[in-house]
Amino acid sequence: APVIDAIQQAYPDLPLHLVAGGLRPGVTDPMQDSARQALTEHWQAVGRTSGQPILTPDVLPAGFIYNTEPACRALVVARELEPDRVWSLVKAIQSAFYTRAEDVTQCSLLSDLAEQVGYPRSRFSKAFVADSAQLAVAADFSWVGDLGISGFPTLLAERDGMLALLANGYQPAEVVLPLLQRWVEAGRIGVV
């Protein structure tokens, strides 16, 4: 989150288009203790590297099913309804899950979060359960998969239909911003 915030501060006119990667979509089995242990190490590393607060998976309720599809679908629905608010919703979802251990697989909670950042609750909830939302999130997953992206987050820049990889996996703003600056400046060279 701090990296995207820094990008938006440095380049407020640069459009941001968030795409759901689908880290763990469609999972139907409760999280096992071995998975919690593996995630604990990963989440602690994420917290140390990014400086963001993050709980450990052992605070998640027993029987928790770690399926990221609903949160990803919320992103896609938000993007379709009001693209300018998507980043606020993503941050709210991340905070709810990683700092408060709230179950972001539930439509009611995702609708609460959407409403908190300014989406009309009924409109968001209706769009969230629509077949078109499931198709749209599947399209995001497919696009990411077709590009061969398997590390998250991944930051791409797009110009004239061409993609440039700026970061695969977390990179601090001090690394990403100079790369983005070079990409932006290269685009200005071709502008007359």
Side-chain angles (χ1 to χ4, degrees):
V3 176
I4 297 298
D5 288 340
I7 289 170
Q8 289 190 309
Q9 184 176 358
Y11 299 96
D13 296 330
L14 195 64
L16 176 66
H17 180 77
L18 298 173
V19 177
L23 187 60
R24 299 180 193 295
V27 173
T28 58
D29 295 327
M31 188 184 300
Q32 300 296 314
D33 289 341
S34 58
R36 285 177 192 267
Q37 185 176 4
L39 278 177
T40 295
E41 294 171 17
H42 178 70
W43 287 9
Q44 287 173 343
V46 168
R48 281 191 307 274
T49 304
S50 70
Q52 293 207 170
I54 189 167
L55 298 173
T56 58
D58 56 334
V59 300
L60 296 171
F64 178 71
I65 298 173
Y66 189 15
N67 175 9
T68 61
E69 189 277 342
C72 291
R73 187 168 9 126
L75 178 157
V76 171
V77 166
R79 188 178 68 210
E80 294 299 317
L81 293 176
E82 291 183 51
D84 292 342
R85 295 186 193 272
V86 175
W87 180 236
S88 295
L89 179 59
V90 169
K91 289 194 302 187
I93 292 169
Q94 287 182 336
S95 179
F97 184 64
Y98 291 111
T99 68
R100 298 188 305 274
E102 294 179 18
D103 188 351
V104 296
T105 67
Q106 302 301 310
C107 177
S108 59
L109 176 63
L110 293 167
S111 296
D112 289 345
L113 296 171
E115 185 176 38
Q116 288 170 18
V117 300
Y119 287 93
R121 182 186 184 87
S122 61
R123 190 169 172 219
F124 179 89
S125 298
K126 184 176 179 180
F128 182 82
V129 298
D131 290 342
S132 59
Q134 293 178 358
L135 293 173
V137 76
D140 270 22
F141 295 162
S142 179
W143 186 79
V144 168
D146 289 349
L147 288 176
I149 295 171
S150 59
F152 300 106
T154 294
L155 181 63
L156 303 171
E158 184 270 332
R159 180 182 301 115
D160 300 327
M162 301 296 293
L163 297 174
L165 177 65
L166 298 180
N168 184 9
Y170 175 80
Q171 295 294 321
E174 304 80 53
V175 172
V176 172
L177 287 174
L179 295 171
L180 183 56
Q181 181 179 358
R182 286 196 294 275
W183 178 83
V184 168
E185 289 173 359
R188 290 182 182 147
I189 292 171
V191 177
V192 179

